[in-house]
Amino acid sequence: MGVRYIDRETCIHCGFCVQICPQDVLRQDADGYPVITYLQDCQSCFLCEKYCPKQAIRVSADRERRAVLPW
């Protein structure tokens, strides 16, 4: 589920995917490349994949069933 792959060879580390993510799943590392930090929060909205200028991000639409936990 969620962001599955970021191609560092294709990525131009513009940071747009980090800015557009509504769930704060991606962050930039010290070199400016996006890294997946909170995969469990990804809702597979495909915004990062759709708006990446170099198509360097792949998102999976497969959903996992999460266990229901009490608060």
Side-chain angles (χ1 to χ4, degrees):
M1 172 175 100
V3 180
R4 289 294 177 204
Y5 179 70
I6 300 174
D7 185 4
R8 289 179 67 100
E9 298 292 323
T10 307
C11 179
I12 58 172
H13 50 274
C14 62
F16 191 64
C17 57
V18 176
Q19 296 170 8
I20 200 166
C21 180
Q23 296 297 323
D24 195 32
V25 173
L26 303 171
R27 297 278 173 100
Q28 284 183 303
D29 65 6
D31 296 326
Y33 288 99
V35 291
I36 305 165
T37 53
Y38 300 104
L39 181 60
Q40 69 276 9
D41 293 339
C42 185
Q43 308 233 335
S44 298
C45 67
F46 291 89
L47 288 176
C48 58
E49 181 178 293
K50 181 177 180 181
Y51 290 107
C52 178
K54 294 294 184 176
Q55 288 78 41
I57 299 177
R58 296 287 174 250
V59 178
S60 172
D62 296 333
R63 296 274 180 172
E64 297 175 357
R65 289 193 57 146
R66 295 183 185 171
V68 178
L69 301 174
W71 286 91

